[in-house]
Amino acid sequence: MKATIILKPLEYTLEAIGEKWYQGDKLKGTLKVKNNSAEKIEIPVLKVTLYEGQYKKVKAKDAKGWSVVSENILADKLALNPSEEKDYSFEFKLVENCSVTDKTGSLYLGFNDNNEKIPTGNVELNVFPKVVITQILTIIENFLRFKVKEIKSGKGVLEVKLTPPTSREMSSVDALTLNISEIEKNLNLKYNFNLRGLDLASATMAVEKKTKEVEQTFTSKQYLIYGDSINQDFIIESFQSVLNGVKTKTM
């Protein structure tokens, strides 16, 4: 992914090598700066930054829409002779629970030749959940019939909204939000159920709404098999054990 920004007499080319990234990946790139004038130009600082960007505020050019994740200073007091071009390479490590691209925002790669909070130029990155998380969600959809409605970034987790199946045994479940992350080969799951049922203690047998939370933490020896392959049976059994607690006919 590449962007060219011309701020006469300087021309910048920012490139993130690749088209998509996953949580935990390495992000490599280059920044080229060229002096198109006949005079020597000095730049106070040249740096590249990994940002979290909120679409609405980024579009409105609001500095509050940019949050610095990591920064790499390429040069201090950079001097460019007439027609001179300089190339810089850089690398960032996306953390295992970094934000992914969702409907509200994404990670961005930006550069600055000053100390402003808004980047001089930027490219939006396409960041996806870790492969292991995607595989787990696929198992939940295919074998347990909970459909992924939305995935968005939370505070160190992915918040996955799931639509329950229309089966009789799941009729008490209105919605399920699954918070999921995998960090250092530990899988963390937090289930947030919205439930409904008849209040048998009420004289009118009114419908009662409740919430229920369940947490699970597993090591790689439990949820992986044969190297980095998902232990499909274990994922199904562990998810099913949680569902057994919300299949009750009354609340």
Side-chain angles (χ1 to χ4, degrees):
M1 305 183 78
K2 184 185 295 187
T4 298
I5 297 92
I6 297 175
L7 300 172
K8 293 182 179 180
L10 297 177
E11 178 181 329
Y12 297 92
T13 302
L14 176 65
E15 182 176 12
I17 301 171
E19 294 296 327
K20 63 181 181 180
W21 296 264
Y22 296 90
Q23 292 176 307
D25 277 356
K26 286 184 179 180
L27 167 66
K28 296 182 179 181
T30 60
L31 178 61
K32 299 178 182 179
V33 54
K34 183 178 180 181
N35 180 7
N36 290 321
S37 75
E39 298 179 356
K40 183 177 180 180
I41 300 292
E42 293 187 353
I43 303 171
V45 65
L46 187 64
K47 58 185 178 181
V48 290
T49 305
L50 186 65
Y51 294 95
E52 286 184 1
Q54 301 174 36
Y55 288 142
K56 287 185 178 179
K57 291 183 179 180
V58 167
K59 187 176 181 180
K61 298 183 179 180
D62 184 347
K64 293 181 180 179
W66 300 94
S67 299
V68 174
V69 177
S70 185
E71 188 175 83
N72 192 333
I73 296 176
L74 303 178
D76 281 315
K77 297 180 181 179
L78 174 63
L80 291 167
N81 293 318
S83 300
E84 185 179 11
E85 177 177 298
K86 289 190 176 182
D87 297 356
Y88 297 90
S89 298
F90 57 84
E91 181 179 297
F92 290 100
K93 179 72 166 63
L94 304 184
V95 296
E96 292 185 282
N97 58 343
C98 72
S99 296
V100 300
T101 303
D102 59 28
K103 66 180 184 180
T104 63
S106 183
L107 290 182
Y108 284 78
L109 184 64
F111 75 91
N112 283 86
D113 56 7
N114 52 51
N115 290 311
E116 296 292 330
K117 293 184 178 180
I118 294 178
T120 304
N122 67 84
V123 292
E124 181 185 343
L125 305 173
N126 292 321
V127 183
F128 295 86
K130 296 181 76 171
V131 173
V132 65
I133 291 177
T134 300
Q135 291 174 336
I136 290 170
L137 295 178
T138 299
I139 292 170
I140 291 172
E141 284 197 308
N142 292 343
F143 294 94
L144 297 155
R145 296 181 296 138
F146 276 74
K147 298 301 179 183
V148 175
K149 183 179 180 181
E150 181 185 0
I151 301 176
K152 66 178 184 178
S153 299
K155 294 182 178 180
V157 298
L158 294 181
E159 297 179 0
V160 184
K161 290 186 178 180
L162 294 160
T163 302
T166 56
S167 62
R168 191 172 185 179
E169 62 183 3
M170 287 289 105
S171 60
S172 64
V173 181
D174 276 338
L176 168 60
T177 299
L178 175 64
N179 293 345
I180 183 170
S181 65
E182 189 209 32
I183 302 173
E184 295 181 352
K185 297 295 185 180
N186 283 289
L187 180 65
N188 303 294
L189 303 159
K190 184 177 181 180
Y191 304 78
N192 296 278
F193 290 95
N194 289 334
L195 305 171
R196 59 183 166 83
L198 293 178
D199 183 3
L200 299 182
S202 170
T204 60
M205 296 283 284
V207 173
E208 185 181 23
K209 293 189 177 182
K210 289 186 177 182
T211 60
K212 182 174 183 178
E213 291 187 357
V214 180
E215 295 188 34
Q216 294 176 323
T217 299
F218 302 117
T219 66
S220 59
K221 291 182 179 179
Q222 294 172 290
Y223 66 89
L224 295 180
I225 192 171
Y226 306 126
D228 289 331
S229 298
I230 286 288
N231 186 336
Q232 179 176 288
D233 291 340
F234 178 82
I235 296 299
I236 294 173
E237 290 172 7
S238 61
F239 195 90
Q240 192 66 60
S241 70
V242 174
L243 295 182
N244 287 337
V246 296
K247 288 181 181 179
T248 52
K249 296 180 181 179
T250 59
M251 292 169 46

